[in-house]
Amino acid sequence: MSAEYTVFRKDRLRRGGGVAIFVRADILAELVPIDSINVDIVAVDLTFDTHKIRIITCYRPPYYTNEDVAYLDSLVTALSKLCLSSQQNIVLGDFNLPNIDWFHYLAPSEVCHDKFLSFVDNAGLQQCVNAPTHANNVLDLVLTDNTCLISDVSIECPIGNSDHNTVHVSLNIENSRSNDNGYVCYYDYKNADYDNLNVYMSRINWDYEFSFVFTTEEYWNIFLMHLTTAIELYVPCIVRKVNVCKNRKTYPRYLRNMLNRKARLWKRWRTSSLPQDKLAYKTYVSKCRTALSTFSQDKERDIISSNNVGNFYRYVNSKLGSRKTVHPIKVCNKNNELTSDPVEQANVFNDYFASVFTVDNGVLPDVSPRSTNDIYCDSVVFTVDIVRKSLLALKPSTSAGPDGLPNVILKKLAHSVCTPLHYIFDSSFKSHQLPSQWLQAFVTPIHKKGATSDPSNYRPISLTCTCCRVMERIINAHLINYLLSNRLITKHQHGFLLKHSTCSNLLETVNDWTLALDNHLKTDAIYIDFQKAFDSVSHTKLLCKLVSYNIYGDLFEWISAFLNNRSQQVKISNVLSNIVFITSGVPQGSVLGPTLFLIYINDLIDAFATLNCTVKLYADDAKLYSSYRFGDSSSCLIQALKYLSDWAKTWQLTIANSKCVAHRITTVNNSSDVCYYAIDDFNLEWSNCTRDLGVYIDSDLKFVQHISKITHIAHSRSCLILKCFFTRNPVVLVKAFCTYVRPVLEYCTPVWSPHLTGLIDKLEKVQRRFTKKLYGMSNLSYNERLVSLKLDSLYNRRVKQDLIMCYKIINGLICLDFSDFFTTSPSDRTRGHNFKLGIQNCRLDTRKFCFARRVCHVWNKLPHDVVNSCSISSFKRKLAAFNFDS
């Protein structure tokens, strides 16, 4: 053992204690000194080329005496210091805290649990063990502040006579050296000469160029040839050598020159030992330090200003040495061996993504007409002006699809390329043909959750041709207008529609549930999960549904051509997989795909028309619920699930039965009053807390688990900002907090805003703790820090979000019906504004403090000029100036 491993050991201090770390001899390891000698902790720094990882293992005895609380204090203090002094940490050990809910980071209010959870929040750690390690309890934990390090966590059989299961952790650690010393070439669109590009494209006589063209493919090839030539002339092409070390920092040329000069001055001083050479070196070191600091701060300021969570995490991961988006993955035909080869990975992902495609069964169901004969949609007009507006509306992204054209080039050249694109779009639509490149897609796998080595834990994100998406945008706007103006989409659908959102879906749902509770009713809700719904849509059946909406003519034929003969390739590290032809599904990454899916699932509501139950949809996310009196049972839901199963089989959408759950909304916990719901003889599990469009719904609608979950995530992001950002400027760090942390705490707040003091303080604690750690703020009170940093309390921001939602409902800016939420107050009252809301009488706090009632008190106190604002932007401005404390 000693010949192959280095052993770092801490002898047993307490009964059951004693910890050790065995490190392979070929790994560079250094023992980390620990201030406290009275705790069972061993910490080792492992060095892998350019980055370090700190492994900390410890033990806590399973007792709760005063002595053990003191021991926990020492343990937490030591762990905090160890995690603070290292960028990447993995903490492992037996902590003997069985009552913590690690999914929601929630535990009973007890000293040991509170102290340990507080440490986990402060250090920004995530717990990775989800299965019991001792009996039915999770006692042995794996905590990390960088989940990208964890490839897989599995629970295996105990070692020897131990009563604890073995926790096996696979890490995404590999030699970062690369033998690839080749070059990569790409266009620098940010520094392109767009003035000359526009001049070049404007001088082309497109009438002449297209005069002898007969197919859409020829139109497209001529346009692409001219645009490619212009790009080669006026867009800089950068050739960069692939870094020998993938994690090495890259600086612009002027900084590299400064660093090279600093190295030369160092060498000259070491050779000559002259005082003037030493002074020259010291002076230039200071100059380099200032330049690097300015560069880092400017880069971080740009990242924060971009308001892009992806940019934020890419920057954080680069600081942590975890730039890879795809880690080693399992290869099924090689006994689940891991592979890091980009070609092999790309093909593994492509095979998995293609495995979910549906083969049409050839049965065409009868479809009732959804529209009368005098209402139809058969054509779309493409004018130069419409095309120009669509191009100008593009986001300036530099990512390119199969055509090699990023959004930014078409947006910048909107005035000069709108004419040729008008020809191409018109030809494509009338001939029902699409250029072959438009039917291709590059797919990028993005990790969702779970083991990074499992391909099924990745989501496919498709990148299609930008020009095709522009044409889709025009068609989609026309199609959506037709569907909504004729009320052909059910009001229960909240996905991908104007004035609809996850918040509108949840507000309607929670409003129904709180009303039921207040009326002595319980509610059973069934959450339905369709397996890979967007990829499973049968093209034949979708076209059949389009006909039922009186969508025909050129529009129908073009959509048919758009769906057929499509292909995809997975792209990893500039390597493409083999081509796979798409046999089903609406194109993900396209503009038209979501609308086509809404049409496909729209008639699901009809299946429950005769039943006393409600259905709410957000794209493919569906929930059915029914309220009834205590002691009764909901036969409607049982019948609804049968209708749902029949509908899914008819239209070849697979229900993931194991992911569907039943959830009861009630104030009475009665285990004997439980009925069973089933889909195709599969009994659904009951859930006490269910994730509904990003909000965790508990049985009593107090949202305790949701608030615990989001505060933990917010603490983790706060720690990442303070740990990974170079700047110490409070203004920049506060902007980072407002951009990347505060949205986590404010998502759908009208739905779950708490009234309990403990929960309000728990949310406020995130901002209170972050602001206290900023430079120059530690000696100020929380209110003083808010004034100094020009921040509002999270509580006040939630009140304002309530009022903004109320304004939208009253003025018809959101799909919610005013009468479902509010009543108007009698008009004989003279004090206050003229649009006061009636205050409902409520029996339960759940209803008393729900959105529909709590907002009325604050709304009625607003001044006349605020309530009668002419626009939502004006309302927000006046609301920001209003003093809620007066």
Side-chain angles (χ1 to χ4, degrees):
M1 179 71 73
S2 60
E4 298 178 3
Y5 292 89
T6 304
V7 183
F8 302 90
R9 187 190 304 276
K10 184 70 174 282
D11 292 333
R12 179 180 299 183
L13 295 175
R14 301 166 64 88
R15 182 158 58 91
V19 289
I21 298 177
F22 292 79
V23 181
R24 217 171 58 202
D26 60 338
I27 297 176
L28 182 60
E30 181 182 358
L31 183 66
V32 181
I34 300 170
D35 294 340
S36 176
I37 61 173
N38 297 319
V39 290
D40 289 314
I41 296 180
V42 172
V44 175
D45 281 341
L46 305 181
T47 302
F48 298 89
D49 293 331
T50 59
H51 62 283
K52 289 184 178 181
I53 298 173
R54 178 163 292 176
I55 306 293
I56 307 168
T57 184
C58 50
Y59 171 76
R60 177 196 167 270
Y63 312 115
Y64 296 89
T65 64
N66 291 333
E67 181 185 353
D68 288 294
V69 171
Y71 177 82
L72 182 62
D73 274 333
S74 301
L75 185 74
V76 164
T77 301
L79 289 174
S80 298
K81 290 180 179 179
L82 288 169
C83 291
L84 185 63
S85 59
S86 173
Q87 278 204 326
Q88 298 186 97
N89 302 282
I90 299 176
V91 182
L92 313 97
D94 177 7
F95 291 90
N96 284 300
L97 294 168
N99 297 322
I100 297 180
D101 173 4
W102 284 111
F103 186 79
H104 300 104
Y105 293 85
L106 191 63
S109 181
E110 186 271 332
V111 177
C112 287
H113 292 95
D114 289 343
K115 285 183 180 294
F116 192 74
L117 278 181
S118 181
F119 153 69
V120 171
D121 282 340
N122 289 340
L125 299 174
Q126 301 282 341
Q127 207 285 114
C128 303
V129 179
N130 298 317
T133 63
H134 179 269
N136 294 320
N137 301 315
V138 180
L139 301 184
D140 306 277
L141 310 178
V142 176
L143 301 127
T144 181
D145 48 15
N146 180 13
T147 54
C148 291
L149 291 174
I150 306 297
S151 172
D152 196 9
V153 177
S154 59
I155 307 301
E156 300 177 1
C157 62
I159 297 176
N161 296 324
S162 173
D163 57 352
H164 285 245
N165 297 328
T166 303
V167 180
H168 183 272
V169 186
S170 300
L171 304 182
N172 288 318
I173 300 172
E174 58 181 342
N175 193 330
S176 62
R177 302 279 176 188
S178 172
N179 295 324
D180 184 3
N181 294 322
Y183 293 83
V184 60
C185 176
Y186 61 91
Y187 286 109
D188 184 11
Y189 288 104
K190 291 183 179 179
N191 296 310
D193 184 356
Y194 288 108
D195 291 336
N196 278 321
L197 267 169
N198 269 298
V199 170
Y200 181 95
M201 296 300 291
S202 298
R203 287 177 176 174
I204 298 173
N205 186 341
W206 294 106
D207 289 330
Y208 174 77
E209 292 290 335
F210 292 153
S211 57
F212 298 101
V213 174
F214 302 100
T215 66
T216 304
E217 190 77 36
E218 291 175 320
Y219 275 109
W220 172 249
N221 288 337
I222 292 172
F223 169 76
L224 193 60
M225 176 192 68
H226 284 293
L227 185 53
T228 302
T229 302
I231 289 172
E232 290 174 352
L233 289 173
Y234 300 111
V235 180
C237 184
I238 295 178
V239 179
R240 178 174 293 171
K241 188 174 182 179
V242 177
N243 288 334
V244 174
C245 176
K246 295 182 181 178
N247 286 319
R248 179 180 296 166
K249 292 181 179 179
T250 56
Y251 294 117
R253 183 179 295 277
Y254 78 93
L255 279 179
R256 295 200 302 271
N257 290 339
M258 290 181 70
L259 293 173
N260 290 335
R261 185 180 176 189
K262 185 186 79 168
R264 291 196 299 271
L265 290 173
W266 162 262
K267 187 175 180 180
R268 189 171 69 183
W269 171 43
R270 297 298 292 173
T271 302
S272 68
S273 299
L274 295 174
Q276 59 267 32
D277 290 339
K278 178 180 179 181
L279 179 62
Y281 170 73
K282 293 289 186 182
T283 303
Y284 205 76
V285 165
S286 178
K287 187 176 181 180
C288 283
R289 188 181 296 115
T290 302
L292 288 170
S293 174
T294 303
F295 169 75
S296 297
Q297 292 187 49
D298 290 344
K299 182 177 181 180
E300 290 172 354
R301 193 176 290 110
D302 291 341
I303 290 169
I304 295 166
S305 300
S306 70
N307 196 17
N308 186 310
V309 176
N311 286 344
F312 171 74
Y313 274 108
R314 277 190 289 273
Y315 180 76
V316 168
N317 287 337
S318 71
K319 290 286 189 177
L320 298 176
S322 306
R323 292 185 179 181
K324 286 191 173 184
T325 55
V326 178
H327 300 281
I329 59 168
K330 297 175 183 176
V331 183
C332 294
N333 58 0
K334 292 186 177 181
N335 299 321
N336 288 331
E337 292 180 3
L338 297 179
T339 179
S340 297
D341 178 50
V343 176
E344 199 167 19
Q345 285 183 330
N347 284 306
V348 169
F349 278 114
N350 211 25
D351 291 342
Y352 171 73
F353 295 149
S355 67
V356 302
F357 293 152
T358 298
V359 178
D360 189 84
N361 57 14
V363 178
L364 204 59
D366 293 330
V367 184
S368 302
R370 310 285 300 185
S371 176
T372 58
N373 291 333
D374 59 328
I375 299 174
Y376 58 89
C377 186
D378 62 347
S379 64
V380 178
V381 176
F382 301 92
T383 65
V384 173
D385 189 52
I386 290 174
V387 174
R388 184 189 299 111
K389 288 180 179 178
S390 296
L391 291 170
L392 291 172
L394 291 172
K395 293 181 179 179
S397 167
T398 57
S399 299
D403 57 359
L405 303 177
N407 284 11
V408 64
I409 194 84
L410 293 173
K411 183 181 179 73
K412 294 285 189 179
L413 304 182
H415 297 282
S416 57
V417 301
C418 57
T419 298
L421 286 177
H422 147 69
Y423 280 109
I424 295 170
F425 295 167
D426 195 58
S427 169
S428 174
F429 191 76
K430 291 178 178 177
S431 66
H432 319 140
Q433 296 176 353
L434 284 79
S436 57
Q437 275 188 332
W438 289 15
L439 299 175
Q440 300 170 10
F442 291 160
V443 177
T444 301
I446 302 297
H447 182 249
K448 298 182 294 184
K449 59 182 180 180
T452 60
S453 58
D454 188 350
S456 64
N457 290 330
Y458 288 77
R459 177 188 294 110
I461 303 297
S462 298
L463 190 61
T464 55
C465 293
T466 304
C467 290
C468 183
R469 293 201 303 274
V470 173
M471 184 176 180
E472 289 177 64
R473 187 187 295 269
I474 298 170
I475 294 173
N476 190 62
H478 187 81
L479 184 57
I480 283 287
N481 181 62
Y482 165 73
L483 294 171
L484 294 182
S485 61
N486 294 292
R487 298 182 178 180
L488 299 178
I489 297 293
T490 173
K491 67 177 183 178
H492 298 294
Q493 175 62 265
H494 292 257
F496 307 118
L497 296 172
L498 186 66
K499 297 184 180 181
H500 295 70
S501 65
T502 55
C503 193
S504 64
N505 179 301
L506 290 167
L507 273 177
E508 282 188 347
T509 304
V510 172
N511 190 57
D512 289 347
W513 292 348
T514 55
L515 274 173
L517 287 176
D518 210 54
N519 291 323
H520 304 274
L521 301 176
K522 60 183 176 182
T523 302
D524 283 352
I526 310 295
Y527 287 87
I528 305 300
D529 186 277
F530 290 103
Q531 184 174 305
K532 306 292 183 183
F534 279 76
D535 295 321
S536 304
V537 171
S538 165
H539 293 164
T540 305
K541 292 178 172 60
L542 172 58
L543 294 173
C544 173
K545 290 197 175 188
L546 291 178
V547 173
S548 71
Y549 287 85
N550 282 354
I551 298 171
Y552 52 81
D554 287 339
L555 179 57
F556 175 85
E557 296 297 338
W558 190 89
I559 291 175
S560 178
F562 172 75
L563 291 172
N564 293 315
N565 300 316
R566 302 192 68 89
S567 64
Q568 71 178 34
Q569 292 174 280
V570 171
K571 187 175 183 179
I572 297 177
S573 302
N574 293 319
V575 173
L576 290 172
S577 69
N578 298 327
I579 295 176
V580 169
F581 288 95
I582 301 170
T583 58
S584 69
V586 294
Q588 295 198 51
S590 66
V591 178
L592 198 55
T595 302
L596 294 177
F597 184 82
L598 295 188
I599 293 174
Y600 196 76
I601 202 172
N602 191 50
D603 63 324
L604 171 63
I605 302 294
D606 299 344
F608 316 110
T610 60
L611 299 176
N612 184 26
C613 70
T614 305
V615 184
K616 296 294 178 187
L617 297 171
Y618 188 87
D620 61 324
D621 288 320
K623 55 177 173 277
L624 296 77
Y625 58 88
S626 177
S627 301
Y628 52 97
R629 300 210 169 268
F630 291 93
D632 297 339
S633 60
S634 180
S635 58
C636 288
L637 276 183
I638 296 173
Q639 189 65 36
L641 291 177
K642 184 179 183 306
Y643 290 167
L644 172 73
S645 177
D646 293 341
W647 181 91
K649 289 175 182 176
T650 300
W651 297 104
Q652 287 189 268
L653 286 182
T654 304
I655 299 174
N657 294 339
S658 60
K659 294 183 179 180
C660 299
V661 296
H663 185 94
R664 175 162 291 175
I665 308 297
T666 181
T667 56
V668 179
N669 294 321
N670 186 356
S671 58
S672 62
D673 185 27
V674 176
C675 55
Y676 294 96
Y677 298 105
I679 300 177
D680 296 330
D681 298 326
F682 182 90
N683 288 330
L684 302 182
E685 291 187 3
W686 282 95
S687 170
N688 293 322
C689 184
T690 308
R691 191 172 189 264
D692 187 352
L693 300 179
V695 175
Y696 292 91
I697 307 290
D698 44 24
S699 297
D700 53 7
L701 298 182
K702 291 182 179 178
F703 300 101
V704 176
Q705 289 94 328
H706 176 72
I707 291 171
S708 294
K709 183 75 172 180
I710 64 172
T711 51
H712 176 75
I713 295 171
H715 280 301
S716 297
R717 287 195 184 184
S718 298
C719 289
L720 285 176
I721 290 173
L722 294 171
K723 180 181 289 187
C724 297
F725 276 66
F726 176 85
T727 181
R728 295 293 95 189
N729 185 342
V731 176
V732 177
L733 292 175
V734 164
K735 190 170 183 181
F737 178 86
C738 295
T739 304
Y740 300 112
V741 179
R742 206 164 61 182
V744 175
L745 301 170
E746 296 183 343
Y747 170 71
C748 286
T749 54
V751 177
W752 55 265
S753 184
H755 67 277
L756 298 174
T757 303
L759 296 179
I760 293 172
D761 289 343
K762 191 168 189 174
L763 289 162
E764 207 70 47
K765 188 177 181 180
V766 179
Q767 185 166 271
R768 184 183 296 115
R769 178 180 288 165
F770 181 84
T771 55
K772 191 174 181 66
K773 291 181 179 180
L774 299 180
Y775 178 76
M777 297 291 158
S778 59
N779 295 325
L780 301 179
S781 68
Y782 180 51
N783 289 333
E784 290 172 336
R785 295 199 298 272
L786 293 181
V787 173
S788 176
L789 298 170
K790 298 180 181 179
L791 288 174
D792 210 349
S793 70
L794 297 180
Y795 174 79
N796 282 347
R797 287 182 58 82
R798 289 197 297 275
V799 172
K800 290 177 182 179
Q801 288 299 317
D802 281 354
L803 292 170
I804 291 169
M805 180 60 68
C806 184
Y807 180 90
K808 288 181 178 180
I809 295 173
I810 290 173
N811 291 278
L813 302 178
I814 196 168
C815 65
L816 303 177
D817 192 344
F818 175 87
S819 61
D820 289 341
F821 290 85
F822 307 120
T823 58
T824 53
S825 185
S827 58
D828 56 350
R829 298 185 180 180
T830 57
R831 302 188 66 176
H833 57 77
N834 58 353
F835 208 97
K836 288 197 171 184
L837 301 175
I839 309 296
Q840 307 166 13
N841 292 322
C842 302
R843 183 177 65 89
L844 299 175
D845 282 353
T846 306
R847 182 62 188 174
K848 180 180 178 181
F849 293 102
C850 77
F851 166 77
R853 192 177 187 279
R854 70 170 182 265
V855 73
C856 297
H857 294 281
V858 191
W859 175 267
N860 291 343
K861 293 179 182 179
L862 291 178
H864 177 84
D865 65 311
V866 177
V867 170
N868 290 281
S869 299
C870 59
S871 66
I872 186 66
S873 57
S874 173
F875 179 77
K876 289 178 180 178
R877 277 198 311 273
K878 293 177 181 179
L879 198 61
F882 180 68
N883 184 6
F884 286 90
D885 298 327
S886 60

